[in-house]
Amino acid sequence: MGMMVTARRVEAGADEIRYEFGLDDKFDRILTIDPRTLDARVEDGDFNSAAGAITAKIVKAWRSSGEFPTRMLFAS
């Protein structure tokens, strides 16, 4: 069985972009991305494979369009 991670943007400021994310639309974690450096961190400190996968998709979308997406999905 694969993994499905979903994220939705909840805040977009000059200093950080915040997403709620989780497995199967649970949105139980917070991901923060620095728009200048693209460094990412999670609020609970556990930057696991789910956090890494959704971060990579968000950053790829930003590089492609120049904007941070409002929603993102990663499925494996």
Side-chain angles (χ1 to χ4, degrees), residues 3-76:
M3 172 176 64
M4 185 174 76
V5 183
T6 55
R8 62 182 172 205
R9 192 177 69 207
V10 293
E11 190 176 330
D15 296 332
E16 66 182 24
I17 312 298
R18 293 171 57 88
Y19 286 87
E20 293 177 325
F21 78 103
L23 300 174
D24 302 321
D25 284 331
K26 289 192 180 163
F27 301 113
D28 56 354
R29 300 180 69 201
I30 300 292
L31 170 70
T32 303
I33 300 174
D34 183 322
R36 296 175 306 273
T37 63
L38 300 180
D39 287 337
R41 61 181 164 68
V42 290
E43 206 168 72
D44 64 10
D46 182 17
F47 200 86
N48 60 13
S49 61
I54 203 67
T55 299
K57 291 277 290 199
I58 291 167
V59 168
K60 183 177 179 179
W62 175 83
R63 287 183 173 143
S64 177
S65 71
E67 295 184 23
F68 285 93
T70 57
R71 293 185 66 82
M72 187 55 61
L73 169 71
F74 174 84
S76 66

